[in-house]
Amino acid sequence: MTQHFTAPDRLTGNTGTQWWRDAVIYQVYPRSFADGNGDGMGDLEGVRGRLPYLRDLGVDAVWLSPFYASPQADAGYDVADYRAIDPMFGTLLDADALIRDAHELGLRIIVDLVPNHSSDQHEWFKQALREGPGSPLRARYHFRPGKGADGELPPNDWESIFGGPAWTQAPDGEWYLHLFAPEQPDFNWDHPAVADEFRSILRFWLDMGVDGFRIDVAHGLVKAPGLPDIGGHDQLKLLGNDVMPFFDQEGVHAIYRSWRTILDEYDGERIAVAEAWTPTVERTAAYVRPDELHQAFNFQYLGAPWEAAALREVIDASLAAMRPVGAPATWVLSNHDVTRHATRFANPQGLGTQLRTPGDRELGLRRARAATLLMLALPGSAYVYQGEELGLPDVTDLPDEVRQDPSFFRAAGQDGFRDGCRVPIPWTVEGSSYGFGSGGSWLPQPDTWGGLSVEAQTGDADSTLELYRRAIAARRDHPGLGAGDDVQWLDAPEGVLAFAREGFVCTVNLTGSPVRLATPGRVVLASAQLTLGEGQFDLPADTTVWWTV
Ligand code: NOJ
């Protein structure tokens, strides 16, 4: 099997240099990236074939959303076998070849680990159902008798994130807990077998050579003792804003401390990044204390509007929260769960992660490009979601009959419009599914997407793809850019963000109109056309400029 990654760090030329602290990490959503076998569904062979593209884009690592054996009730976040690849994505040999090739190209591989719940087709859950109430094998999940005279009511008032009750009744009358879809039963992390199993799964993938893990629902594994009711609140509103009995419980940290010792046993600096939706950046920081995980996604940043004061506040708060624990801040604008930022920022308020309106596309793209240069100028590690480098908008008009997001089918849940950011990406101007594969695409692509393809944008200096390539390359040429844990804010008119980093200045105009500023240095990169005057210049609306000073 694959050797672990020992090539020199591409930023510093050294090995063992905490490569992850300022890494640009690219998220591949395997079913929508590239289809190697022409069945309309992306796969590992497809990803492997496109690794040179990712190397040329300049990213440091690739995070792959789940590719494990799964009935795909939640696009692979319902895992039936954590040590097998789903046939629709390939085989373990394909995974091995992918890891090997990536390492040869200097790319690290991060895989998704889904420890909060399994699929209802996981062998343990099938056993739990077969064995019946009282069986020790059932205790690896949360089974409870129902309330009411005949146990006909769920054991408590918890709601699923996807809508509806968080409990489903098994044929024998007991209920089981699922914070997501009924096909995703929650593990009982108080059971030692669960903890042992996941330590073993970690080792399995580390032995395969992966460089790290993205931990799904990292804040959800431990539930409050006794599974207490929440009371008459709108639970969806509380999510991420308050501590819930099923999220962000103290007990999760012991799990991550035990995982950290495993990661540290392996050489090559293997890392873990937490998907932890917590009420504050300070609570998120607890997941990345020195003996826990390495990074946590910054969802407060992802949720910020395109507004100067709000962005400055979240940047400051994020850096301040991470500083005491010594972890790098992270920055993210899009992922497979939220409306792409080119569409969020196309809508007047630039808010909302489940938008259905296309808004003003040109404005959205202009702001998205500016937002990317802002993100890549901040200290820490940045996450890029496949297709954002093409400036892809969300597909807001997918017909209901093609939708697959499980939350779309659950009453009273979130809108379920995550399919809009999951449409397969275009590689070529023409051809079946614009080069995604030879057999169409599992979600229909808009017929304008040939013009947004990699082929269409490559070599066009004004394209979003070339902007990303230049920005990531410039970040590498100025190692000070991703380094450190602070930015120095400069005086700037209201609605303009200006900050200095080592030998470098970043200016962002969020006022909506051009603003005249003194020229701070020499232009490195601008997200839009720029005209420089003598000692001063007009910073166009919704534009970011990088300068060396
Ligand atoms: C977070 C994942 O990003 C999302 O896609 C999934 O539905 C839930 N966790 C449940 O696993």
Side-chain angles (χ1 to χ4, degrees), residues 74 77 117 162 180 214 216-217 275 336-337 418 422:
D74 184 19
Y77 283 95
H117 45 263
F162 290 161
F180 295 89
R214 176 262 188 193
D216 189 61
V217 200
E275 187 220 17
H336 64 292
D337 287 331
R418 298 183 300 174
R422 298 175 176 181

Side-chain angles (χ1 to χ4, degrees), residues 47-92:
V47 180
R48 192 174 160 214
R50 298 291 183 183
L51 287 174
Y53 166 78
L54 297 175
R55 185 231 11 232
D56 295 345
L57 185 58
V59 300
D60 300 286
V62 180
W63 149 37
L64 293 133
S65 280
F67 43 59
Y68 311 107
S70 160
Q72 305 290 321
D74 184 19
Y77 283 95
D78 49 318
V79 180
D81 184 345
Y82 290 86
R83 297 179 185 81
I85 308 290
D86 197 278
M88 77 190 234
F89 293 127
T91 63
L92 271 180

Side-chain angles (χ1 to χ4, degrees), residues 110-460:
I110 294 173
V111 295
D112 219 308
L113 188 71
V114 189
N116 180 67
H117 45 263
S118 69
S119 159
D120 62 349
Q121 297 307 307
H122 189 283
E123 205 40 56
W124 283 12
F125 191 73
K126 291 199 281 188
Q127 269 171 357
L129 284 185
R130 267 199 313 267
E131 299 281 326
S135 149
L137 293 181
R138 204 163 248 217
R140 297 184 294 203
Y141 294 89
H142 294 281
F143 277 84
R144 293 284 184 285
K147 285 187 173 160
D150 299 313
E152 73 285 7
L153 297 172
N156 71 17
D157 65 357
W158 297 1
E159 286 169 20
S160 151
I161 316 300
F162 290 161
W167 296 89
T168 289
Q169 199 165 21
D172 55 45
E174 278 204 333
W175 297 71
Y176 67 88
L177 177 69
H178 53 86
L179 292 183
F180 295 89
E183 297 87 352
Q184 294 167 292
D186 278 47
F187 281 116
N188 173 14
W189 270 87
D190 292 332
H191 197 299
V194 173
D196 285 351
E197 173 66 353
F198 274 91
R199 281 193 290 263
S200 155
I201 293 166
L202 279 179
R203 288 184 191 285
F204 177 87
W205 288 101
L206 289 166
D207 290 340
M208 283 278 292
V210 304
D211 302 285
F213 300 91
R214 176 262 188 193
I215 314 297
D216 189 61
V217 200
H219 53 312
L221 277 47
V222 173
K223 277 69 182 177
L227 312 182
D229 278 337
I230 290 167
H233 300 288
D234 180 341
Q235 293 186 29
L236 283 179
K237 280 212 180 111
L238 289 183
L239 278 182
N241 300 312
D242 217 331
V243 179
M244 311 283 274
F246 47 78
F247 276 165
D248 200 24
Q249 299 291 307
E250 242 346 270
V252 294
H253 297 291
I255 298 169
Y256 300 131
R257 280 193 284 273
S258 105
W259 289 7
R260 180 61 181 255
T261 59
I262 295 176
L263 292 167
D264 286 350
E265 277 172 28
Y266 285 78
D267 48 8
E269 292 196 75
R270 321 293 178 101
I271 68 153
V273 51
E275 187 220 17
W277 294 84
T278 73
T280 61
V281 277
E282 289 76 20
R283 290 201 70 92
T284 303
Y287 291 75
V288 289
R289 287 176 286 195
D291 57 349
E292 295 195 33
L293 306 178
H294 298 73
Q295 294 184 346
F297 291 120
N298 188 342
F299 292 121
Q300 278 82 7
Y301 187 71
L302 185 149
W306 184 241
E307 205 263 301
L311 281 168
R312 181 170 169 166
E313 197 179 315
V314 70
I315 291 168
D316 280 342
S318 308
L319 292 169
M322 294 301 146
R323 221 171 283 131
V325 293
T330 67
W331 313 102
V332 59
L333 291 164
S334 282
N335 64 32
H336 64 292
D337 287 331
V338 300
T339 306
R340 285 182 177 277
H341 62 280
T343 297
R344 290 206 308 279
F345 296 151
N347 282 278
Q349 72 288 40
L351 272 177
T353 47
Q354 294 287 315
L355 290 176
R356 267 170 283 166
T357 43
D360 177 343
R361 286 232 165 109
E362 206 180 308
L363 180 67
L365 180 58
R366 189 179 174 89
R367 289 176 169 174
R369 292 166 56 105
T372 295
L373 287 201
L374 166 60
M375 170 173 86
L376 291 176
L378 294 170
S381 179
Y383 281 82
V384 170
Y385 175 51
Q386 66 175 43
E388 71 171 75
E389 77 278 20
L390 305 176
L392 291 188
D394 230 61
V395 182
T396 48
D397 58 357
L398 284 172
D400 288 358
E401 52 291 1
V402 305
R403 289 183 184 284
Q404 310 226 359
D405 183 347
S407 54
F408 182 69
F409 302 101
R410 308 245 318 155
Q414 64 190 50
D415 285 345
F417 283 84
R418 298 183 300 174
D419 290 316
C421 61
R422 298 175 176 181
V423 174
I425 64 173
W427 294 90
T428 55
V429 177
E430 310 275 349
S432 160
S433 57
Y434 305 111
F436 167 66
S438 58
S441 96
W442 67 279
L443 281 174
Q445 300 155 300
D447 42 7
T448 49
W449 275 27
L452 295 175
S453 63
V454 171
E455 183 185 27
Q457 297 197 37
T458 295
D460 171 358

Side-chain angles (χ1 to χ4, degrees), residues 18-70:
Q18 301 203 314
W19 63 270
W20 44 277
R21 296 192 75 89
D22 53 6
V24 178
I25 300 177
Y26 184 97
Q27 181 189 356
V28 163
Y29 195 62
R31 50 170 54 215
S32 304
F33 188 65
D35 174 12
N37 66 359
D39 65 354
M41 183 63 72
D43 48 39
L44 296 186
E45 204 43 44
V47 180
R48 192 174 160 214
R50 298 291 183 183
L51 287 174
Y53 166 78
L54 297 175
R55 185 231 11 232
D56 295 345
L57 185 58
V59 300
D60 300 286
V62 180
W63 149 37
L64 293 133
S65 280
F67 43 59
Y68 311 107
S70 160

